[in-house]
Amino acid sequence: MKTELLNVNHLLKAAEIIRGGDLLGIPTETVYGLGADGLNSIAVGAIFQAKGRPQDNPLILHVWSADWLARYCEDIPESAYQLAEQFWPGPLTMVLKCRRRTPEELEELKTGPICSYTHFGPRVIPDVVTAGLDTVGMRCPAHSLCRHVIQMAQTPIAAPSGNTSGRPSPTTAQHMLEDMGGKIPAILDGGPCTVGVESTIIDLTCMPPRLLRPGGVTLEQLQAVLGKVAVDPAVTRQMAKGEQPRAPGMKYRHYAPKAPVVVVRGDPERGADYIRDHMSHTRWDGVICFEEFFPMLAQGKGPVLSLGPVSNKGEQARRLFDALRSMDETDVKRIWAQCPDDGGIGLAVANRLNKAAGFHIIEV
Ligand code: TXA
Ligand code: MG
């Protein structure tokens, strides 16, 4: 199959792909997603196939607005609407209780997979989306092309990040083509993602609400609306064998480039010195560092990439996955990476870097 690159002029075609039960590479402000009609179990099944994603890892649904929540969720706390008011459309996913199905809806699910979607069609989330959980992740993305497609298709779009499972998430249409070229009919090119790391996931089915994955909306921003927020241990440390994180996807080694990554945290200047003193200065050692230390570290033979200035964590988030992917195009055997502190979106950057490194972290 040849994968077609669509653009802003092909929105109708993009929406038709979704409505027709096919897969679409779709831009969001966080990362590109691999989208399908979230009410069509066959289309959703194809997402798992194309990504090589484990079946026990649920997908999130992308909706037009908070008005769509009650169609698919129940026991929705007031806090969900407060968060939506503040941060939607935007990089926030809320885990909510799935709406119980009526006897008629259960019958409908039994009599066959839902393929021919109509405007007044099913309002039921198939089990394949939630991996059988009684909760579902709901997100209202900000990217205008993505929003147009949701609006035109009039269905929630199920979309995991558009990478092959285990690879860094795609932040450009080109990245998506690398992973999904030949496997899906089309990718809608919406330019480079403006956030660059995936959405924040907050579980609102427990008290206090729990941060399952840090992302574009920061912990501090959530605390300002919710008060106390618990932070899932999977955010900051490796899960022990047999331990189950609340977001099933957090247990997999993720965001991983081919070469092992060593994360260096702490004072940025000391970190840069540490890397200079410990790297091999051959072509086998790559470095991802803050812009300030690029001249000092770029003197060896290996590839050196800048993550942006120490003080600009937003830029670091935007560049991170591209940097990890670029390292895969080299033959480095080890990657040294400088890491910001946990403040603001630094928590998300650090989380993705630590996961890429399998939590191999050096504190300086
Ligand atoms: O920014 C994003 O969220 C991107 C873009 C495309 O929207 N999507 C994304 O999806 O990152 P994915 O599937 O790569 O990551 C979603 C995470 C997974 O770790 C999954 O286990 C978790 O959300 N998740 C999904 N449903 C859940 C649920 N009901 N309870 C807990 N975690 C859930
Ligand atoms: Mg992902």
Side-chain angles (χ1 to χ4, degrees):
M1 173 187 314
K2 178 153 169 32
T3 302
E4 199 179 346
L5 265 186
L6 307 178
N7 61 39
V8 64
N9 300 313
H10 309 114
L11 290 177
L12 188 60
K13 178 154 191 189
E16 275 168 358
I17 288 175
I18 295 289
R19 289 187 65 115
D22 257 325
L23 301 186
L24 176 74
I26 192 162
T28 83
E29 73 281 20
T30 57
V31 301
Y32 275 70
L34 180 57
D37 179 350
L39 303 181
N40 178 335
S41 57
I42 293 180
V44 172
I47 293 179
F48 287 84
Q49 278 260 309
K51 260 184 84 89
R53 182 176 175 106
Q55 294 283 341
D56 68 348
N57 194 358
L59 305 179
I60 61 179
L61 289 180
H62 298 68
V63 295
W64 168 254
S65 74
D67 292 346
W68 287 26
L69 287 181
R71 298 182 192 174
Y72 311 110
C73 307
E74 64 182 26
D75 298 340
I76 304 170
E78 189 46 39
S79 57
Y81 291 103
Q82 287 164 352
L83 288 174
E85 179 71 30
Q86 285 274 326
F87 304 117
W88 276 8
L92 178 68
T93 299
M94 303 184 213
V95 172
L96 296 166
K97 200 136 178 65
C98 238
R99 185 170 64 72
R100 265 182 299 269
R101 294 149 187 175
T102 63
E104 297 80 51
E105 287 170 340
L106 281 173
E107 204 46 46
E108 188 176 15
L109 279 176
K110 256 194 260 155
T111 49
I114 299 149
C115 295
S116 55
Y117 178 78
T118 70
H119 216 74
F120 307 101
R123 292 275 158 95
V124 189
I125 303 175
D127 284 340
V128 59
V129 169
T130 59
L133 296 178
D134 59 1
T135 57
V136 61
M138 303 297 285
R139 159 154 149 73
C140 173
H143 194 292
S144 67
L145 299 197
C146 182
R147 293 184 62 67
H148 274 108
V149 176
I150 296 171
Q151 174 71 297
M152 289 159 90
Q154 278 296 307
T155 188
I157 295 183
S161 50
N163 51 291
T164 302
S165 263
R167 291 211 72 203
S169 297
T171 51
T172 64
Q174 196 51 42
H175 290 167
M176 247 211 103
L177 200 57
E178 281 165 27
D179 285 17
M180 292 299 148
K183 293 188 181 167
I184 61 174
I187 296 168
L188 177 58
D189 189 347
C193 300
T194 53
V195 176
V197 291
E198 304 88 342
S199 62
T200 303
I201 304 181
I202 182 93
D203 186 347
L204 296 179
T205 66
C206 48
M207 262 324 262
R210 180 177 285 251
L211 177 72
L212 304 186
R213 179 176 74 182
V217 170
T218 66
L219 177 58
E220 295 87 339
Q221 285 176 309
L222 291 175
Q223 285 162 335
V225 175
L226 299 171
K228 191 169 163 47
V229 175
V231 176
D232 199 75
V235 171
T236 48
R237 67 169 170 82
Q238 184 133 43
M239 292 286 91
K241 245 205 171 115
E243 208 176 357
Q244 286 295 338
R246 295 278 284 255
M250 293 289 270
K251 72 173 173 268
Y252 298 104
R253 182 172 179 249
H254 242 194
Y255 318 115
K258 288 172 197 146
V261 180
V262 184
V263 169
V264 180
R265 299 197 64 163
D267 176 68
E269 207 162 314
R270 274 209 306 276
D273 288 346
Y274 183 93
I275 293 173
R276 180 198 53 206
D277 296 343
H278 289 81
M279 67 191 276
S280 72
H281 298 276
T282 64
R283 58 190 273 239
W284 309 117
D285 272 34
V287 178
I288 297 172
C289 66
F290 297 126
E291 195 160 291
E292 288 84 346
F293 309 108
F294 183 85
M296 172 179 115
L297 292 170
Q299 293 176 13
K301 297 200 179 81
V304 179
L305 300 169
S306 164
L307 210 49
V310 172
S311 62
N312 191 344
K313 291 174 180 168
E315 187 63 18
Q316 294 160 28
R318 272 188 290 280
R319 288 196 202 177
L320 177 64
F321 287 141
D322 184 57
L324 291 174
R325 274 180 181 259
S326 301
M327 285 294 173
D328 273 352
E329 280 151 31
T330 69
D331 47 10
V332 292
K333 296 207 160 56
R334 181 166 55 175
I335 301 164
W336 299 87
Q338 286 199 282
C339 180
D341 66 61
D342 285 345
I345 200 171
L347 186 63
V349 175
N351 168 265
R352 305 308 190 272
L353 264 174
N354 292 343
K355 290 189 71 173
F359 288 84
H360 183 180
I361 305 166
I362 292 170
E363 298 275 354
V364 292

